[in-house]
Amino acid sequence: MSDTPFHVTVADGLALVTIVGSGKGNALGGSFWDDLRDFMEQARHRDHIRAIALTGEGRTFSVGMDLRWYVVRLRRAQRARDRSFMDADVRLLQQAVTAVADCPKPVVALIDGECTGAALELVSACDIRYATRQARFALPEAELGVVADLGGLQRLPLLVNQGHLRELAFTGRTIDAERANRIGLVNDVFADPAALHHAARQLTDDLRRHPAHVMEGIKRTLDTVHQDGVRQGLDHSARWNSTHTGPDGLGQAMSARLRSPAVPADSGRPAPEGARAMSPHV
């Protein structure tokens, strides 16, 4: 497990957040969620930051939730007979993703390689998504017997139509960057990570031409229409999983998924269209 879940560098108004996570493939666990929420809260008060970019270390954005980390948390809750743990814990994770959506600075996701499950829900909270040709996306939570509950089902309908989203959520299939671009999941596709980062710097240069309060006003105006629906959906998904799956069922499903064979997240091979999610994480 990494001691630092992400690294931040700030240059020319762009805060680049490079996700390391808590496990292989930049898996999202440990202190990542609390630290991300805290960083987003702090960034809103830093005038020298005009935009934020989220990216992953190496050739992977993130394989999603760190199941090894979460299984340990579930087992502790089971030993303590804490039946409220699952509901309360998912709401803490939701707060971290919501902090990305609520940040008054424009947030762009720079996606190379795998972006699965919780990672896809995270980038759905960003304002803009750029991807490389090697990027691939999946929402495989159904394979664990749970409903995606970190905001993807609430925010992705603002990006793609219901048919595409329902196919992703129902099947857990992996789609490539070309299809993600075609359905509106990403804004644009670039040849490699260098081009991806160049696009983020160009975007920041454009944003710096306008007053910061105007950027915040645009975000607030666009978000206001949907905020009540997003909040209601987050509450519903948290209660649904707590009621219908519970910590026992989720712990068993996560342990089984960790034992299943998977293509390494850093293999560099793009997933074929319609393939199942390629990581044991979600």
Side-chain angles (χ1 to χ4, degrees):
M1 179 182 290
S2 173
D3 293 331
T4 306
F6 53 78
H7 305 294
V8 180
T9 59
V10 182
D12 298 324
L14 176 65
L16 180 64
V17 179
T18 303
I19 298 169
V20 178
S22 57
K24 186 177 180 180
N26 308 327
L28 307 177
S31 65
F32 172 80
W33 300 100
D34 289 340
D35 289 358
L36 179 65
R37 182 197 62 227
D38 292 346
F39 171 76
M40 288 295 170
E41 290 295 327
Q42 295 163 8
R44 68 169 59 233
H45 302 297
R46 296 180 178 175
D47 293 341
H48 65 293
I49 295 177
R50 296 299 309 274
I52 299 168
L54 302 182
T55 191
E57 185 173 68
R59 297 304 302 266
T60 299
F61 183 82
S62 172
V63 296
M65 183 72 73
D66 187 344
L67 299 191
R68 290 180 176 84
W69 166 77
Y70 204 76
V71 164
V72 170
R73 292 168 67 81
L74 285 171
R75 287 173 179 166
R76 288 173 182 164
Q78 290 168 323
R79 288 195 296 269
R81 298 183 178 178
D82 181 2
R83 301 199 61 81
S84 66
F85 166 81
M86 190 169 164
D87 181 81
D89 200 57
V90 75
R91 293 178 192 276
L92 291 175
L93 303 184
Q94 287 176 349
Q95 288 174 12
V97 180
T98 297
V100 175
D102 288 350
C103 182
K105 320 281 178 147
V107 183
V108 56
L110 308 179
I111 306 156
D112 185 36
E114 186 174 351
C115 180
T116 295
L120 178 53
E121 296 194 85
L122 175 61
V123 303
S124 75
C126 297
D127 299 291
I128 296 168
R129 284 148 296 279
Y130 293 151
T132 66
R133 293 172 184 163
Q134 291 72 42
R136 55 197 190 275
F137 306 85
L139 198 65
E141 279 82 351
E143 296 177 11
L144 293 177
V146 296
V147 175
D149 54 13
L150 299 186
L153 296 183
Q154 290 74 41
R155 297 185 176 100
L156 287 171
L158 306 176
L159 309 176
V160 304
N161 72 35
Q162 286 277 345
H164 291 299
L165 176 55
R166 288 170 191 249
E167 182 182 359
L168 286 171
F170 289 161
T171 67
R173 291 173 181 166
T174 296
I175 64 171
D176 60 19
E178 189 278 329
R179 183 176 178 191
N181 187 37
R182 190 170 71 246
I183 67 177
L185 179 57
V186 300
N187 294 65
D188 208 345
V189 176
F190 298 87
D192 52 40
L196 204 64
H197 287 256
H198 179 68
R201 289 191 294 271
Q202 283 191 317
L203 174 66
T204 305
D205 289 342
D206 288 340
L207 297 176
R208 291 169 67 192
R209 295 169 37 226
H210 310 299
H213 73 272
V214 173
M215 299 297 98
E216 180 176 358
I218 292 172
K219 285 195 66 167
R220 293 285 176 261
T221 302
L222 290 170
D223 291 344
T224 297
V225 179
H226 310 287
Q227 283 178 337
D228 287 345
V230 169
R231 282 193 291 263
Q232 291 172 9
L234 289 172
D235 179 67
H236 181 271
S237 60
R239 287 187 287 107
W240 183 276
N241 286 334
S242 181
T243 301
H244 290 82
T245 304
D248 293 341
L250 183 57
Q252 293 171 7
M254 285 185 169
S255 297
R257 188 171 177 87
L258 285 169
R259 293 192 296 269
S260 65
V263 176
D266 55 358
S267 67
R269 300 198 301 273
E273 177 69 20
R276 301 295 287 273
M278 304 186 74
S279 167
H281 299 267
V282 295

